Each structure stands twice: as structure tokens, then as C-alpha cells.
Amino acid sequence: MAIDVADPVANDVNSMDDVERVFPGQPKATREYLRTYKIPSGKGENTFGFDGKFMDAAFCHEVIEETHGFWKKLIKVPKPHLNTLAQVGGALYKTTPAAAAEIVAATPEIRRASDLPADLERWHYISESKL
């Protein structure tokens, strides 16, 4: 979980204990949502690593550092299977701000979303007694 640094209570939220104190019930509600949201479509419950425990900020920072290391290796791969254009030092495939702006300019305009088909406008409820 994260909080916008501009949020008025951001300085009061530095751990999951703080999240529970400032936003009572939010961690449990979030976990329940993430565990059950696929059930109505016929899929099973999601399971979580770490016995479903929220990990602390230090752990999360380690994961971020690790994945950043993977990205730093990826941008040096000679023939990657995905676009690795970057403007950072060490990137094998460099781009420029002008080239990046061209890519953005060539992107189709955002259009109004289509109306959902009526058969998708359904509500699903899961009784705790059935979990």
C-alpha cells in the first residue's frame, strides 16, 4: 500500500500499523478484495505469499531495488524481446526526448470509452459463510 505524499495524513502513515490506525479496516478490506475479486468470473480465490502478511517498507524497498537491478540488466541486452528504448546511461538502445515526443505524438487520441454491454452490468456478492 502507498499514500500520496500530498495527502494531509501522509506524515502519519509510515507502516502498516499506521495504515490500520489512520484507516481502520482498510488493510483487511484490501486483502479480502484482492483475495476474492475473481471469484464471480468463475476463477478461484487468489492466494498470497508470506502467509498473507503485509510486508514492511524495508522489505518493499529491497524488492524495488532488486527489480530495478533486473531492469538495468535488461536495457543492456543486445536483442531484447521488448522495447527497451531509454534515455539513461548504460542503455544499449538510446532514445532522445525528441524521438520519445514523436512516439507520443503518433499515439492515437484518447476517445470516450464505449458503453459496456448490458450483460456486463452485473453485481456479484460473496457471502463470508461460503468462503
PDB file of all heavy atoms in Angstrom, residues 31-49:
ATOM      1  N   ARG A  31      -7.114  -6.711   1.425  1.00  0.00           N
ATOM      2  CA  ARG A  31      -6.721  -8.110   1.278  1.00  0.00           C
ATOM      3  C   ARG A  31      -7.912  -8.951   0.834  1.00  0.00           C
ATOM      4  O   ARG A  31      -7.802  -9.794  -0.058  1.00  0.00           O
ATOM      5  CB  ARG A  31      -6.160  -8.656   2.589  1.00  0.00           C
ATOM      6  CG  ARG A  31      -5.699 -10.107   2.448  1.00  0.00           C
ATOM      7  CD  ARG A  31      -5.241 -10.744   3.745  1.00  0.00           C
ATOM      8  NE  ARG A  31      -4.025 -10.146   4.238  1.00  0.00           N
ATOM      9  CZ  ARG A  31      -3.953  -9.420   5.364  1.00  0.00           C
ATOM     10  NH1 ARG A  31      -5.022  -9.211   6.101  1.00  0.00           N
ATOM     11  NH2 ARG A  31      -2.810  -8.919   5.755  1.00  0.00           N
ATOM     12  N   GLU A  32      -9.070  -8.743   1.434  1.00  0.00           N
ATOM     13  CA  GLU A  32     -10.263  -9.506   1.067  1.00  0.00           C
ATOM     14  C   GLU A  32     -10.651  -9.255  -0.391  1.00  0.00           C
ATOM     15  O   GLU A  32     -11.005 -10.177  -1.112  1.00  0.00           O
ATOM     16  CB  GLU A  32     -11.435  -9.171   1.990  1.00  0.00           C
ATOM     17  CG  GLU A  32     -11.344  -9.830   3.334  1.00  0.00           C
ATOM     18  CD  GLU A  32     -11.192 -11.342   3.230  1.00  0.00           C
ATOM     19  OE1 GLU A  32     -12.110 -11.996   2.710  1.00  0.00           O
ATOM     20  OE2 GLU A  32     -10.135 -11.862   3.649  1.00  0.00           O
ATOM     21  N   TYR A  33     -10.589  -7.994  -0.797  1.00  0.00           N
ATOM     22  CA  TYR A  33     -10.914  -7.690  -2.195  1.00  0.00           C
ATOM     23  C   TYR A  33      -9.952  -8.423  -3.124  1.00  0.00           C
ATOM     24  O   TYR A  33     -10.375  -9.085  -4.075  1.00  0.00           O
ATOM     25  CB  TYR A  33     -10.857  -6.183  -2.457  1.00  0.00           C
ATOM     26  CG  TYR A  33     -10.902  -5.887  -3.929  1.00  0.00           C
ATOM     27  CD1 TYR A  33     -12.095  -5.975  -4.634  1.00  0.00           C
ATOM     28  CD2 TYR A  33      -9.733  -5.588  -4.642  1.00  0.00           C
ATOM     29  CE1 TYR A  33     -12.132  -5.759  -5.998  1.00  0.00           C
ATOM     30  CE2 TYR A  33      -9.774  -5.373  -6.011  1.00  0.00           C
ATOM     31  CZ  TYR A  33     -10.971  -5.454  -6.683  1.00  0.00           C
ATOM     32  OH  TYR A  33     -10.983  -5.245  -8.036  1.00  0.00           O
ATOM     33  N   LEU A  34      -8.656  -8.308  -2.873  1.00  0.00           N
ATOM     34  CA  LEU A  34      -7.673  -8.943  -3.751  1.00  0.00           C
ATOM     35  C   LEU A  34      -7.776 -10.469  -3.706  1.00  0.00           C
ATOM     36  O   LEU A  34      -7.452 -11.143  -4.680  1.00  0.00           O
ATOM     37  CB  LEU A  34      -6.261  -8.482  -3.379  1.00  0.00           C
ATOM     38  CG  LEU A  34      -5.982  -7.015  -3.663  1.00  0.00           C
ATOM     39  CD1 LEU A  34      -4.630  -6.606  -3.082  1.00  0.00           C
ATOM     40  CD2 LEU A  34      -6.042  -6.712  -5.152  1.00  0.00           C
ATOM     41  N   ARG A  35      -8.243 -11.015  -2.596  1.00  0.00           N
ATOM     42  CA  ARG A  35      -8.400 -12.463  -2.481  1.00  0.00           C
ATOM     43  C   ARG A  35      -9.609 -12.960  -3.258  1.00  0.00           C
ATOM     44  O   ARG A  35      -9.594 -14.037  -3.845  1.00  0.00           O
ATOM     45  CB  ARG A  35      -8.535 -12.843  -1.001  1.00  0.00           C
ATOM     46  CG  ARG A  35      -8.555 -14.344  -0.751  1.00  0.00           C
ATOM     47  CD  ARG A  35      -8.519 -14.650   0.733  1.00  0.00           C
ATOM     48  NE  ARG A  35      -9.698 -14.202   1.437  1.00  0.00           N
ATOM     49  CZ  ARG A  35     -10.847 -14.879   1.506  1.00  0.00           C
ATOM     50  NH1 ARG A  35     -10.969 -16.046   0.895  1.00  0.00           N
ATOM     51  NH2 ARG A  35     -11.868 -14.404   2.184  1.00  0.00           N
ATOM     52  N   THR A  36     -10.691 -12.158  -3.323  1.00  0.00           N
ATOM     53  CA  THR A  36     -11.968 -12.671  -3.840  1.00  0.00           C
ATOM     54  C   THR A  36     -12.458 -12.069  -5.147  1.00  0.00           C
ATOM     55  O   THR A  36     -13.442 -12.558  -5.701  1.00  0.00           O
ATOM     56  CB  THR A  36     -13.074 -12.456  -2.789  1.00  0.00           C
ATOM     57  OG1 THR A  36     -13.214 -11.050  -2.541  1.00  0.00           O
ATOM     58  CG2 THR A  36     -12.762 -13.183  -1.492  1.00  0.00           C
ATOM     59  N   TYR A  37     -11.804 -11.050  -5.682  1.00  0.00           N
ATOM     60  CA  TYR A  37     -12.414 -10.340  -6.810  1.00  0.00           C
ATOM     61  C   TYR A  37     -12.573 -11.170  -8.078  1.00  0.00           C
ATOM     62  O   TYR A  37     -13.388 -10.844  -8.931  1.00  0.00           O
ATOM     63  CB  TYR A  37     -11.674  -9.033  -7.109  1.00  0.00           C
ATOM     64  CG  TYR A  37     -10.374  -9.164  -7.858  1.00  0.00           C
ATOM     65  CD1 TYR A  37     -10.320  -8.931  -9.234  1.00  0.00           C
ATOM     66  CD2 TYR A  37      -9.196  -9.498  -7.218  1.00  0.00           C
ATOM     67  CE1 TYR A  37      -9.139  -9.034  -9.936  1.00  0.00           C
ATOM     68  CE2 TYR A  37      -8.005  -9.594  -7.909  1.00  0.00           C
ATOM     69  CZ  TYR A  37      -7.973  -9.364  -9.264  1.00  0.00           C
ATOM     70  OH  TYR A  37      -6.803  -9.466  -9.958  1.00  0.00           O
ATOM     71  N   LYS A  38     -11.865 -12.261  -8.226  1.00  0.00           N
ATOM     72  CA  LYS A  38     -12.000 -13.079  -9.436  1.00  0.00           C
ATOM     73  C   LYS A  38     -13.066 -14.176  -9.305  1.00  0.00           C
ATOM     74  O   LYS A  38     -13.432 -14.810 -10.283  1.00  0.00           O
ATOM     75  CB  LYS A  38     -10.658 -13.733  -9.779  1.00  0.00           C
ATOM     76  CG  LYS A  38      -9.589 -12.754 -10.193  1.00  0.00           C
ATOM     77  CD  LYS A  38      -8.299 -13.481 -10.517  1.00  0.00           C
ATOM     78  CE  LYS A  38      -7.197 -12.528 -10.882  1.00  0.00           C
ATOM     79  NZ  LYS A  38      -5.935 -13.231 -11.154  1.00  0.00           N
ATOM     80  N   ILE A  39     -13.551 -14.406  -8.115  1.00  0.00           N
ATOM     81  CA  ILE A  39     -14.496 -15.494  -7.873  1.00  0.00           C
ATOM     82  C   ILE A  39     -15.760 -15.367  -8.729  1.00  0.00           C
ATOM     83  O   ILE A  39     -16.189 -16.354  -9.325  1.00  0.00           O
ATOM     84  CB  ILE A  39     -14.827 -15.618  -6.372  1.00  0.00           C
ATOM     85  CG1 ILE A  39     -13.582 -16.075  -5.613  1.00  0.00           C
ATOM     86  CG2 ILE A  39     -15.983 -16.571  -6.139  1.00  0.00           C
ATOM     87  CD1 ILE A  39     -13.736 -16.082  -4.099  1.00  0.00           C
ATOM     88  N   PRO A  40     -16.374 -14.185  -8.847  1.00  0.00           N
ATOM     89  CA  PRO A  40     -17.597 -14.105  -9.658  1.00  0.00           C
ATOM     90  C   PRO A  40     -17.415 -14.514 -11.117  1.00  0.00           C
ATOM     91  O   PRO A  40     -18.358 -14.939 -11.767  1.00  0.00           O
ATOM     92  CB  PRO A  40     -17.998 -12.634  -9.554  1.00  0.00           C
ATOM     93  CG  PRO A  40     -17.417 -12.184  -8.262  1.00  0.00           C
ATOM     94  CD  PRO A  40     -16.110 -12.919  -8.148  1.00  0.00           C
ATOM     95  N   SER A  41     -16.192 -14.407 -11.641  1.00  0.00           N
ATOM     96  CA  SER A  41     -15.973 -14.803 -13.034  1.00  0.00           C
ATOM     97  C   SER A  41     -15.643 -16.288 -13.153  1.00  0.00           C
ATOM     98  O   SER A  41     -15.278 -16.765 -14.225  1.00  0.00           O
ATOM     99  CB  SER A  41     -14.865 -13.951 -13.662  1.00  0.00           C
ATOM    100  OG  SER A  41     -13.626 -14.222 -13.032  1.00  0.00           O
ATOM    101  N   GLY A  42     -15.782 -17.031 -12.049  1.00  0.00           N
ATOM    102  CA  GLY A  42     -15.576 -18.473 -12.099  1.00  0.00           C
ATOM    103  C   GLY A  42     -14.177 -18.922 -11.733  1.00  0.00           C
ATOM    104  O   GLY A  42     -13.879 -20.110 -11.762  1.00  0.00           O
ATOM    105  N   LYS A  43     -13.305 -17.994 -11.398  1.00  0.00           N
ATOM    106  CA  LYS A  43     -11.948 -18.364 -11.016  1.00  0.00           C
ATOM    107  C   LYS A  43     -11.894 -18.558  -9.507  1.00  0.00           C
ATOM    108  O   LYS A  43     -12.777 -18.138  -8.769  1.00  0.00           O
ATOM    109  CB  LYS A  43     -10.975 -17.266 -11.446  1.00  0.00           C
ATOM    110  CG  LYS A  43     -10.952 -17.092 -12.958  1.00  0.00           C
ATOM    111  CD  LYS A  43     -10.036 -15.971 -13.370  1.00  0.00           C
ATOM    112  CE  LYS A  43     -10.081 -15.822 -14.891  1.00  0.00           C
ATOM    113  NZ  LYS A  43      -9.379 -14.648 -15.342  1.00  0.00           N
ATOM    114  N   GLY A  44     -10.846 -19.180  -9.054  1.00  0.00           N
ATOM    115  CA  GLY A  44     -10.701 -19.419  -7.622  1.00  0.00           C
ATOM    116  C   GLY A  44     -10.172 -18.205  -6.881  1.00  0.00           C
ATOM    117  O   GLY A  44      -9.863 -17.167  -7.474  1.00  0.00           O
ATOM    118  N   GLU A  45     -10.072 -18.365  -5.584  1.00  0.00           N
ATOM    119  CA  GLU A  45      -9.513 -17.305  -4.748  1.00  0.00           C
ATOM    120  C   GLU A  45      -8.042 -17.099  -5.078  1.00  0.00           C
ATOM    121  O   GLU A  45      -7.338 -18.047  -5.413  1.00  0.00           O
ATOM    122  CB  GLU A  45      -9.581 -17.692  -3.264  1.00  0.00           C
ATOM    123  CG  GLU A  45     -10.927 -17.730  -2.672  1.00  0.00           C
ATOM    124  CD  GLU A  45     -10.863 -18.090  -1.188  1.00  0.00           C
ATOM    125  OE1 GLU A  45      -9.758 -18.126  -0.605  1.00  0.00           O
ATOM    126  OE2 GLU A  45     -11.931 -18.346  -0.633  1.00  0.00           O
ATOM    127  N   ASN A  46      -7.589 -15.864  -4.944  1.00  0.00           N
ATOM    128  CA  ASN A  46      -6.161 -15.597  -5.030  1.00  0.00           C
ATOM    129  C   ASN A  46      -5.519 -16.012  -3.717  1.00  0.00           C
ATOM    130  O   ASN A  46      -6.149 -15.950  -2.663  1.00  0.00           O
ATOM    131  CB  ASN A  46      -5.900 -14.095  -5.251  1.00  0.00           C
ATOM    132  CG  ASN A  46      -6.136 -13.687  -6.680  1.00  0.00           C
ATOM    133  OD1 ASN A  46      -5.878 -14.442  -7.600  1.00  0.00           O
ATOM    134  ND2 ASN A  46      -6.647 -12.493  -6.869  1.00  0.00           N
ATOM    135  N   THR A  47      -4.292 -16.458  -3.800  1.00  0.00           N
ATOM    136  CA  THR A  47      -3.526 -16.758  -2.596  1.00  0.00           C
ATOM    137  C   THR A  47      -2.348 -15.792  -2.552  1.00  0.00           C
ATOM    138  O   THR A  47      -1.933 -15.248  -3.578  1.00  0.00           O
ATOM    139  CB  THR A  47      -3.023 -18.210  -2.587  1.00  0.00           C
ATOM    140  OG1 THR A  47      -2.251 -18.433  -3.770  1.00  0.00           O
ATOM    141  CG2 THR A  47      -4.175 -19.191  -2.537  1.00  0.00           C
ATOM    142  N   PHE A  48      -1.820 -15.591  -1.379  1.00  0.00           N
ATOM    143  CA  PHE A  48      -0.749 -14.626  -1.192  1.00  0.00           C
ATOM    144  C   PHE A  48       0.487 -15.307  -0.620  1.00  0.00           C
ATOM    145  O   PHE A  48       0.377 -16.238   0.176  1.00  0.00           O
ATOM    146  CB  PHE A  48      -1.191 -13.523  -0.214  1.00  0.00           C
ATOM    147  CG  PHE A  48      -2.425 -12.804  -0.662  1.00  0.00           C
ATOM    148  CD1 PHE A  48      -3.654 -13.099  -0.114  1.00  0.00           C
ATOM    149  CD2 PHE A  48      -2.360 -11.827  -1.640  1.00  0.00           C
ATOM    150  CE1 PHE A  48      -4.798 -12.446  -0.522  1.00  0.00           C
ATOM    151  CE2 PHE A  48      -3.495 -11.164  -2.063  1.00  0.00           C
ATOM    152  CZ  PHE A  48      -4.724 -11.475  -1.499  1.00  0.00           C
ATOM    153  N   GLY A  49       1.619 -14.772  -1.014  1.00  0.00           N
ATOM    154  CA  GLY A  49       2.867 -15.226  -0.413  1.00  0.00           C
ATOM    155  C   GLY A  49       2.994 -14.663   0.989  1.00  0.00           C
ATOM    156  O   GLY A  49       2.187 -13.842   1.425  1.00  0.00           O
TER     157      GLY A  49
END
